[in-house]
Amino acid sequence: MKWLIIGISGPTCSGKTSVAKKVHENIKGSILINQDAYFLTEDDPRHVLIPELNHFNWEILSSLDMSKMYSDIKNIIETSNEDIRNGESDEKLKFLIIEGFLLYNYKPIADLCDKKYFIDIDKKVCWDRRKNRVYNPPDVPGYFDKVVWPEYLRHKQEISSNKNLNETTTFLDGTKPINELSDEVIDEIKHCLN
């Protein structure tokens, strides 16, 4: 059995979660994993405090349990492969969609992705969308300008400066409508399968 693993990434409020859900809805039998489910709890000692804001930095890999996310992904793949060996499934191709803002900055997960998409937006669009969202814990004043956007630029630079990642990632314009973006991803996946 073969897995096609699709990564959908980008900055906060870029539309990646909405696109991933639409792709998931349109690919029968696909599995969707959301990186946000792996944020550490607020009381976890691994968090990095930003002293001048008295707020944790939620925009870095250490704010997430990435080894657990990777383990869960591997478990899904291996369990499904075991089902095939036991004759419990006759599907030849399975689809796993992984969505999150730091997928490609964690090499073990980036290496699993057969198709990589990165939805990009500029700072103004990002802020216009983010300022209306409610987070738990809530953003403190100055968090976007001092942490969110600079961390995003750093993460994007890591991807751009990695030749392999840059060449294997499809960059999408996050100002396009969600349906248009999800159609681009779905059409490309269908094209690859033909």
Side-chain angles (χ1 to χ4, degrees):
M1 185 184 77
K2 170 75 175 130
W3 279 89
L4 184 67
I5 301 177
I6 303 154
I8 301 176
S9 193
T12 179
C13 302
S14 60
K16 61 192 175 301
T17 303
S18 298
V19 170
K21 285 179 182 175
K22 290 260 184 209
V23 172
H24 174 57
E25 290 166 7
N26 281 278
I27 299 179
K28 188 177 182 240
S30 63
I31 296 169
L32 174 60
I33 293 181
N34 184 306
Q35 189 176 40
D36 285 356
Y38 295 90
F39 274 113
L40 302 175
T41 59
E42 271 191 88
D43 60 352
D44 195 293
R46 292 173 283 182
H47 279 297
V48 174
L49 182 70
I50 305 155
E52 71 249 36
L53 298 177
N54 193 30
H55 192 72
F56 291 135
N57 186 342
W58 296 91
E59 314 307 314
I60 52 179
L61 279 173
S62 61
S63 69
L64 297 148
D65 191 342
M66 294 303 293
S67 59
K68 170 82 168 110
M69 184 179 184
Y70 179 72
S71 174
D72 287 352
I73 292 167
K74 294 295 282 182
N75 188 47
I76 288 169
I77 294 167
E78 289 163 12
T79 300
S80 192
N81 286 344
E82 186 64 31
D83 290 346
I84 293 292
R85 286 190 289 277
N86 293 334
E88 296 171 20
S89 174
D90 60 358
E91 292 183 54
K92 292 183 168 85
L93 182 63
K94 299 276 286 175
F95 297 90
L96 178 60
I97 303 158
I98 308 169
E99 178 270 320
F101 72 113
L102 286 175
L103 292 184
Y104 310 139
N105 304 87
Y106 187 73
K107 189 173 184 332
I109 290 178
D111 289 347
L112 287 175
C113 295
D114 300 300
K115 299 295 299 174
K116 297 180 196 78
Y117 297 92
F118 189 93
I119 303 171
D120 202 11
I121 52 175
D122 65 27
K123 184 177 181 181
K124 182 181 181 330
V125 171
C126 189
W127 171 244
D128 286 345
R129 293 176 182 178
R130 184 166 175 118
K131 68 183 178 186
N132 297 316
R133 286 215 182 152
V134 177
Y135 290 91
N136 186 19
D139 286 355
V140 295
Y143 183 70
F144 180 83
D145 285 322
K146 290 183 180 182
V147 182
V148 174
W149 193 253
E151 290 290 3
Y152 160 65
L153 293 176
R154 189 172 63 79
H155 299 316
K156 186 178 176 189
Q157 178 57 37
E158 286 176 16
I159 294 167
S160 299
S161 62
N162 180 316
K163 187 173 186 232
N164 180 53
L165 264 180
N166 196 39
E167 290 176 355
T168 59
T169 301
T170 301
F171 291 86
L172 302 172
D173 178 359
T175 62
K176 291 181 179 178
I178 295 299
N179 285 340
E180 192 174 325
L181 290 170
S182 57
D183 285 348
E184 277 186 60
V185 174
I186 293 163
D187 289 347
E188 186 173 314
I189 291 165
K190 287 179 179 174
H191 180 74
C192 290
L193 297 176
N194 292 333

